[in-house]
Amino acid sequence: MAVKAVKFGGSSLASAEQFKKVAAIIKADPERRYVVASAPGKRDAQDVKVTDMLYACFQAARKKQDIEPIFAKIEQRYNQIISELGLDFSLKEEFEKIKFAISHHVGEDYTASRGEYLNSMVLAEYLGYDFIDAENGIFFKENGTFDADHTNDVLAEILSEHERAVIPGFYGSMPNGTIKTFSRGGSDITGSIVARAADAEVYENWTDVSGMLMADPRIVKNPKVIKVITYSELRELSYMGATVLHDEAIFPVREARIPINIRNTNAPEEEGTMIVPFADKPNEDIITGVAGKVGFSIINIEKSMMNSEVGFGKKILKVIENHDICFEHLPSGIDTMSVVVDTAEIDGIREDVVNEMFRKTKADFINVEDGLALIAVVGRSMVQQVGTAGRVFTAMGKAGVNIKMIDQGSSELSIIIGINEADYAKTLNAIYSEFVKD
Ligand code: ADP
Ligand code: ASP
Ligand code: MG
């Protein structure tokens, strides 16, 4: 039988009511055989995610404080779900084991991972599916990076022994057997790994929005859902802050050419977004989406005759490398060159960096400006369409936004624009409404 791998996020599994919706979705299609579950998320804006409560427990234990008050709240979250689902099932022994481990100074990652571990046990029980512990099938290497090949071999073997199963998201194990998590939001990565190991026809990622939206819904009102997006476009948008899917989640499925379908647990009738290797149809709005991030700094370097000085750029990049800084963009002019970096990366060392650049390059002028936001206008159809960049800049001009930097990647998949952080929301709205007419 064909297989669909499905992942449900924290808000999709935050309460018994949500569990019922999830079970109905899974039961509606017999191909939905492998289910990856997150920890219970927020039930409303004021609520606290179980993962955050677990991190708080770890901090309390580290300070030798009593973890009981926080842990009792975690137990209560699960007990309420279990009782409202009418299950004859108890996590009491698991709670005791975990509490004992946390108070005896087990690692932070183990502690955080128990949210998905416990939630997956409850979901497996409710669905009548097997439970597969991710520690037995998802592996990290000694240096902490994900071990894709070993994982795929072992996990494919384990899955073949279970017709239907629930697998906790977010974690796996180190070579010495200790638990390690991915970064926050990492259950999306687990879903992708499971889809690849199961050789699934699709990886369905169920969340609380009806797909990937053309812009962040917290900034642009009612943005349109993107129907089809390529892996490369998604990578540009998610790297730039469109956080509906963890930005590393595409790698396992991309290699296996498995499409991802983002769906809404609260509106399962909607088709959501298909993320595919190649899209045969152009995009009717020309752009696929727009996203952005704040918190960047720009280092501006000026030197007359820079353009004819062999190796100038290399000297600048060497200084950046010496200080272990990753750079985001390198816009350059005839006698100017700029380096855009994450502000957090140069905080505390900016004087050293600038002084070393002066010494190594004999530049005429160097300064650092903070408060830069970067916006990415992304679209596979922009390349065929003359005048797209012009429309972006005209829209920004009309909105009174000053452009500080422009960079177009060689793939012509995106235009990156640097602006003042104060203009961030205004710019996203101006670009969105230039291309999307409703
Ligand atoms: P889950 O708990 O299901 O993993 P997340 O909270 O990680 O869900 O991701 C979904 C959220 O991402 C949405 O509720 C939305 O607020 C936010 N978001 C930010 N940018 C976008 C975008 N371009 N499209 C859709 N959602 C977005
Ligand atoms: N529960 C984890 C987090 O809150 C992982 C996830 O939800 O994907 O980050
Ligand atoms: Mg998420």
Side-chain angles (χ1 to χ4, degrees), residues 26 50 60 67 94 101 114 139-140 162 177 198 228 242 246 309 350:
I26 294 169
V50 165
I67 65 164
E94 293 292 342
R114 295 304 89 182
F139 305 107
F140 293 90
H162 299 267
V228 178
H246 192 295
E309 187 177 323
R350 63 182 68 206

Side-chain angles (χ1 to χ4, degrees), residues 7 9-11 206-209 211-213 215-218 242-244:
K7 177 258 171 180
S11 54
W206 291 82
T207 181
D208 62 352
V209 278
M212 179 97 191
L213 303 168
D216 187 335
R218 290 162 294 195
T243 53
V244 67

